[in-house]
Amino acid sequence: MRTPIELLNAHFDGKILSQDEARSLSRWVGADPDNARTVVELGIIHSQADYWLSVPRFLDELGDSEDPAIKKSIEAALETIEIDSYRKNVSANSRSPAGSTPSWGWAAAAVAASLLIGVVSFPRGIDSGKAHAVIASAPAEEKLAPKPIVVEPAPVVATVTETINVESRSGSRLRRGQYVRRGESLIIEAGVLAVTTADGCDVVVEGPAKLIFEGSQQIAMSEGRLSARIDEAATGLIVKTPTARVVDLGTEFGVGIGPDLATEVAVYEGVVELYSARTDGDAPSPSKRITAGRAGHVDADGSLNFAVQTLPNDREFIRPDEIASLRKARSGSAEARQQTCFYALQRTRGLMAFQSFDIPSDGAAYSVAFREASPRSATSPTITHDLQSRRLYSSGALLVNEGEHAFLDIDTSSDSPLARAKLLTDRGLIGRSGAELWIAWKTRMTDANRAGDHAGMSLMFGDQRLMQEPLFVGYSGGKRTLAVASNVGSRTVELELDADPDTFAVDPMPLDDQTHQWVMQIIFGERGDKLAVWCDVPPAEIRTARPQAETVNANLIFDRLRLGVSDDASAWLFDDIVLATSINAIAEVQELQSANAARR
């Protein structure tokens, strides 16, 4: 006859003992208290083995391993034991009927066990409260059968796929591969968290945020911002906020909650249905369908704004496709840092247009709100090294040689950022009364000994210089001082830049071959447009620094920038052109570029 330990193992493995074996085991248990304790301990071990070596549990723990080699080995092992067949025939945390052989076989269990030890090493210890061991004190005639006590965890509804500088409010660390269960709260102070739901939806959360996954297709968010890209076969994701409910109809969208609990929705692809959370008795909540390229809004009191707006840009939210760039940037990729910097730059409040003159694409890439793919000129544009240490990975500067010019045509369409900021006149030109615009750019003359007649940047509403050029900034008339020239009809009013505007006399700024940072403020008015120009004054100091030149233009309208150099003049370099509605936006753009350069 088998030993008592052999009989116990057989019993806990679901084998049916004969009457003689059961009696023998019962006598052995009653003979000594240590034998009874052995029964309990062995029962606990079998219970834990059942729990940890079950394939569903094994799959559940798979994501906790960050070792790709272990994960690959586990996946290969599971394929060999026909996991698909197992899922159809064996439920989670169950064992085969007594006396039968489990469908996945002991060989597969051995493979899984050997791998599992390396992944989890039983980190949580043994909980005797969950063991299904039973002391064999029943009459000898009764069969000894295990009585499992199983506490089923909430189902997994999502998996963490990336954490970038995430700070958890609870202090617990979120990590890649971690599962999110139904009803689980995610509270983060800062950073970016990416998860994928069980239905295949990619969700990106920007901290600070607080949300609960109420299911694989329903998220309740009380604070923060998220974007979601829904798999074609998994439409129906619902995002609830304190004031709204967003229902996906097959799309990619973003949802943000303001400090007053108002809800903003941006749709990048497809369609969403935006509902107000406010109800009026039994009447259904009002709703509005938002299509791609549009934004919707629900006020802080739950009132649905039925007017929809054009998106300011397609990067208002951190979208799922941005996560790969963020991951590579953290690993040291300069190219990925450039991409993530450009995405962040587009989210700058008040940015209207941006051009950094990307070298590989001849200025077409990393450009915002210019109509043409690259600068427009009679010859192919020449883009060379950056004026300063490179702010972006492949950023350069536009080289305009003597006798040449290039145009940057600004996007003034009805959906452009300038149109949304109400900067356009009825003719579709920049210059609407009551609006304010800031322009920043960099220049450098390559040879100060060859001045020629003029060089600089013009604001124009056509291609004819002087006739369609209301404003010019640079130097002109062969004078070797920097100036602003306003063209009103056939008359030109020129104002030299004052190097020290705090003194009474004008101290002209001489022409040289140094890099200069220009900032210009334009306030459009009914009776005239006020201009102020600063040269080499940091944006953070401009609000308190007197401008080097101030003038008034009778009717300043434009839709393009001309970067030109006259005959017999030295070539000029132009770089980092920014149009914005505030000096703060210009300062933020420069800070982003500087931060990117510092990490190179």
Side-chain angles (χ1 to χ4, degrees), residues 493-575:
V493 178
E494 187 171 298
L495 186 66
E496 290 180 316
L497 267 64
D498 188 353
D500 188 2
D502 291 326
T503 61
F504 179 75
V506 174
D507 183 12
M509 297 186 68
L511 194 62
D512 58 32
D513 58 0
Q514 301 302 304
T515 296
H516 294 289
Q517 168 71 65
W518 301 79
V519 175
M520 179 165 59
Q521 179 193 32
I522 307 173
I523 300 176
F524 300 99
E526 290 287 349
R527 298 183 178 180
D529 306 316
K530 297 180 180 180
L531 287 88
V533 177
W534 293 262
C535 187
D536 299 331
V537 177
E541 301 175 14
I542 280 178
R543 285 296 188 186
T544 57
R546 292 185 61 184
Q548 276 104 349
E550 291 182 278
T551 187
V552 175
N553 190 295
N555 188 22
L556 179 55
I557 53 175
F558 65 100
D559 64 355
R560 68 203 68 187
L561 306 176
R562 179 183 182 272
L563 314 176
V565 176
S566 67
D567 294 336
D568 301 325
S570 168
W572 269 44
L573 290 161
F574 298 86
D575 198 9

Side-chain angles (χ1 to χ4, degrees), residues 234-526:
T235 59
L237 179 68
I238 298 173
V239 178
K240 298 188 299 183
T241 75
T243 54
R245 183 164 55 97
V246 183
V247 179
D248 144 62
L249 301 178
T251 187
E252 181 179 359
F253 64 92
V255 179
I257 302 173
D260 60 353
L261 300 184
T263 300
E264 297 285 348
V265 175
V267 180
Y268 298 113
E269 295 181 13
V271 182
V272 303
E273 193 77 22
L274 175 61
Y275 292 85
S276 166
R278 190 172 69 178
T279 60
D280 185 10
D282 295 331
S285 300
S287 68
K288 179 70 177 179
R289 186 158 290 194
I290 314 295
T291 57
R294 303 289 178 177
H297 180 84
V298 175
D299 294 333
D301 63 356
S303 300
L304 176 66
N305 189 335
F306 284 90
V308 297
Q309 298 178 336
T310 304
L311 290 178
N313 59 71
D314 64 356
R315 292 290 162 182
E316 185 76 5
F317 291 82
I318 297 178
R319 297 169 59 181
D321 65 350
E322 193 172 337
I323 295 300
S325 295
L326 288 168
R327 183 184 301 129
K328 292 176 182 177
R330 284 200 308 170
S331 301
S333 168
E335 187 174 2
R337 281 201 301 268
Q338 171 180 257
Q339 185 67 69
T340 56
C341 174
F342 183 64
Y343 286 152
L345 183 147
Q346 292 179 76
R347 288 189 277 271
T348 302
R349 297 292 181 182
L351 178 68
M352 298 290 105
F354 173 78
Q355 176 60 267
S356 67
F357 300 109
D358 178 64
I359 295 174
S361 65
D362 287 334
Y366 305 107
S367 177
V368 176
F370 286 100
R371 290 200 304 264
E372 300 294 330
S374 58
R376 175 168 57 89
S377 62
T379 59
S380 297
T382 302
I383 299 179
T384 183
H385 58 83
D386 214 339
L387 283 180
Q388 297 177 347
S389 59
R390 289 186 179 177
R391 300 299 184 93
L392 297 174
Y393 173 69
S394 59
S395 174
L398 179 66
L399 177 67
V400 180
N401 292 303
E402 61 178 274
E404 294 182 352
H405 62 262
F407 287 99
L408 292 173
D409 297 304
I410 303 168
D411 181 7
T412 55
S413 66
S414 60
D415 282 342
S416 69
L418 290 149
R420 292 192 295 271
K422 302 186 185 306
L423 282 160
L424 302 184
T425 67
D426 294 339
R427 296 169 53 191
L429 299 172
I430 301 169
R432 182 173 179 173
S433 296
E436 180 179 1
L437 182 67
W438 291 77
I439 306 176
W441 70 102
K442 295 186 181 74
T443 64
R444 182 166 68 83
M445 186 181 190
T446 59
D447 185 357
N449 294 320
R450 293 197 304 119
D453 181 71
H454 70 272
M457 186 178 79
S458 306
L459 308 186
M460 302 183 68
F461 57 86
D463 288 357
Q464 296 181 22
R465 187 172 178 269
L466 297 179
M467 294 299 297
Q468 298 172 320
E469 181 189 38
L471 189 71
F472 172 82
V473 183
Y475 74 93
S476 62
K479 297 180 181 178
R480 301 183 63 85
T481 57
L482 300 176
V484 177
S486 297
N487 298 313
V488 182
S490 60
R491 186 169 63 94
T492 299
V493 178
E494 187 171 298
L495 186 66
E496 290 180 316
L497 267 64
D498 188 353
D500 188 2
D502 291 326
T503 61
F504 179 75
V506 174
D507 183 12
M509 297 186 68
L511 194 62
D512 58 32
D513 58 0
Q514 301 302 304
T515 296
H516 294 289
Q517 168 71 65
W518 301 79
V519 175
M520 179 165 59
Q521 179 193 32
I522 307 173
I523 300 176
F524 300 99
E526 290 287 349

Side-chain angles (χ1 to χ4, degrees), residues 16-24 26-27 137-145:
I16 297 177
L17 303 182
S18 68
Q19 290 187 359
D20 290 341
E21 289 173 331
R23 292 191 189 96
S24 174
S26 182
R27 286 194 298 271
S137 58
E141 294 79 17
E142 294 181 7
K143 298 178 181 177
L144 297 177

